[in-house]
Amino acid sequence: HAGWRGAASGVVAAAVRELTSAFSATPAGLVAAVGPSIGPCCYRVGPELRDQYLEAGHPGDAIERWFTPSPPVVALRGVPGSEPDVPDGRAPVWLNMWSVVSDQLVLAGLAAENVHVARLCTSCARDVFHSYRVDGPAAGRMVGVIRAGPTQGPAPTSRRRH
């Protein structure tokens, strides 16, 4: 899981480093799938998050793409919840975690064509997915799976007893 805190602190690049080390792979040989998550249509945040990405040293041009003054795509349903509390009077912004994670994967060495983003917003499709942002502590949970591909060795085989 690479939420905004993890992505701001470099968890995406760290995961790529660990995978390449553990499996003697190259980043260009990895394939990444970014599953359903809150989309840029619904992820309204306070501007202090943008400040935290700047302070963490992320490139300014990337931050301009990741944080926008209005949603870059239309929400299928209304944005749930209330406006983020912004004590300094600045307006909330929309965060595009799909772009944050995919950009960081490419910067870590993955080929852009090997980064696949589901682009399924858990807030818009809350009849199908769980969303902590919508349901709070009552939200269900989702799970992701990492699997070594065929270049990582033979697949396990099952043995039948007769």
Side-chain angles (χ1 to χ4, degrees):
H1 175 74
W4 74 263
R5 285 179 189 87
S9 67
V11 73
V12 175
V16 171
R17 283 192 304 274
E18 287 298 317
L19 286 168
T20 56
S21 173
F23 296 103
S24 300
T26 62
L30 296 176
V31 175
V34 180
S37 60
I38 192 159
C41 46
C42 296
Y43 202 9
R44 215 173 21 182
V45 299
E48 72 281 357
L49 269 65
R50 183 181 186 281
D51 298 343
Q52 289 184 24
Y53 275 74
L54 281 167
E55 291 167 12
H58 295 279
D61 61 330
I63 292 172
E64 292 302 315
R65 284 193 314 276
W66 301 342
F67 292 89
T68 56
S70 60
V73 293
V74 176
L76 297 177
R77 292 188 175 174
V79 179
S82 59
E83 287 288 329
D85 183 30
V86 183
D88 63 7
R90 294 184 294 166
V93 292
W94 274 257
L95 174 54
N96 187 340
M97 285 301 297
W98 298 342
S99 290
V100 171
V101 174
S102 60
D103 286 355
Q104 290 182 359
L105 286 165
V106 171
L107 284 172
L110 273 74
E113 60 270 13
N114 287 349
V115 177
H116 307 278
V117 181
R119 298 189 188 288
L120 296 170
C121 176
T122 54
S123 178
C124 286
R126 50 191 182 263
D127 54 332
V128 179
F129 301 112
H130 299 289
S131 173
Y132 190 88
R133 189 167 179 94
V134 175
D135 300 320
R141 299 292 179 257
M142 297 188 294
V143 66
V145 177
I146 298 174
R147 177 181 80 79
T151 60
Q152 301 298 324
T157 58
S158 62
R159 298 181 190 257
R160 274 198 211 166
R161 292 188 177 190
H162 296 284

